[in-house]
Amino acid sequence: MQGSSTDILKAARAKFDVVNDKIRSGLRGRSRHVVAIAAMAGIASVGLVAANIDNGPTEVTPVAATSTVNREAAADRADRAARATAKTQLAAPKAAPKAAPKAIAPKAVQPAQAKAKAGTSVPKAAPKAAAPVKVRPVWGSPMPGAQVTSCFGQRWGVLHAGVDLAEPAGTPIRAVGPGTVFSNGWAYSGYGISVVIDHGDGYFTHYAHMSRDAVQIGQKVKAGDLLGYEGSTGDSTGPHLHFEVHKGMWNQIEPSAWLKARGVPINC
């Protein structure tokens, strides 16, 4: 047992010498105090080993085991610190995420603006076509659409000096052409209420047996203007228009030929 302890001590001494040499070579040129401390640490280690060996059966804790315990303790402390840090992070309230900015919808672009932005000229609306102007004919019928009941000529031994046109009582009577009112009202015996138009070219037209007239002497008229309304005044047996044409006042001529020459047909 003693020889065995001596061998161990020698081996420890040898290891110390090796370590001491390494320390000296590694710390060459450094402070002597550092070298002395290292040497003293080595001697203490050898003394500790020798003491353990001399004391016989006293339990010695291996250096490697002590290092392992220290490492496990350090690891345990590091693990506890990591867990504490994790708990702290979990307990801390998370910052609410920033709300994403609202997307602003683009304003609706009118078709005209869209074309202008695209560089396309917007065509202007075509001007509306003017309504056709109705041209009043220069000459017309004294009672459009009326039925001829008597023509110009001898009747019962007396000259019937005009054309009779029949429509329901109150039908409007129109001027056959442009001229000036020469007379109106109860102006001539037998004709009742009548109107005479001077056409300015030597011809006169006479409209008789009206229920009432609608013009005044000197009034200018054109074809189609209202002169009065159909009636049965004067020498008349029923509502009708007695229409005459005078070439010079009171020189009656056949009216249907005169109207036809001016584009107004009369069935006589």
Side-chain angles (χ1 to χ4, degrees), residues 35-59:
V35 174
I37 292 170
M40 290 176 65
I43 295 169
S45 299
V46 174
L48 180 59
V49 174
N52 287 335
I53 294 173
D54 292 341
N55 291 336
T58 305
E59 183 179 358

Side-chain angles (χ1 to χ4, degrees), residues 132-226:
V133 179
K134 293 183 179 180
V135 179
R136 180 184 296 185
V138 179
W139 301 95
S141 172
M143 190 181 287
Q147 180 181 0
V148 177
T149 58
S150 182
C151 293
F152 180 88
Q154 292 292 324
R155 188 176 60 183
W156 305 316
V158 179
L159 177 65
H160 182 245
V163 173
D164 291 344
L165 303 172
E167 278 287 320
T171 297
I173 296 172
R174 309 287 180 179
V176 296
T180 304
V181 177
F182 178 79
S183 66
N184 71 305
W186 294 85
Y188 310 107
S189 177
Y191 286 93
I193 299 175
S194 66
V195 173
V196 175
I197 302 297
D198 179 4
H199 294 286
D201 56 356
Y203 290 95
F204 296 80
T205 50
H206 192 183
Y207 311 80
H209 305 312
M210 293 182 179
S211 60
R212 63 187 178 93
D213 60 39
V215 291
Q216 298 294 328
I217 294 175
Q219 181 177 334
K220 300 294 181 180
V221 296
K222 294 180 180 179
D225 285 352
L226 177 66

Side-chain angles (χ1 to χ4, degrees), residues 12-67:
R13 179 67 184 182
K15 289 182 179 181
F16 170 76
D17 293 337
V18 173
V19 171
N20 189 29
D21 292 339
K22 289 182 178 181
I23 291 174
R24 289 178 179 277
S25 62
L27 297 178
R28 186 174 295 141
R30 299 198 178 185
S31 173
R32 292 181 179 179
H33 296 288
V34 176
V35 174
I37 292 170
M40 290 176 65
I43 295 169
S45 299
V46 174
L48 180 59
V49 174
N52 287 335
I53 294 173
D54 292 341
N55 291 336
T58 305
E59 183 179 358
V60 179
T61 304
V63 177
T66 304
S67 300

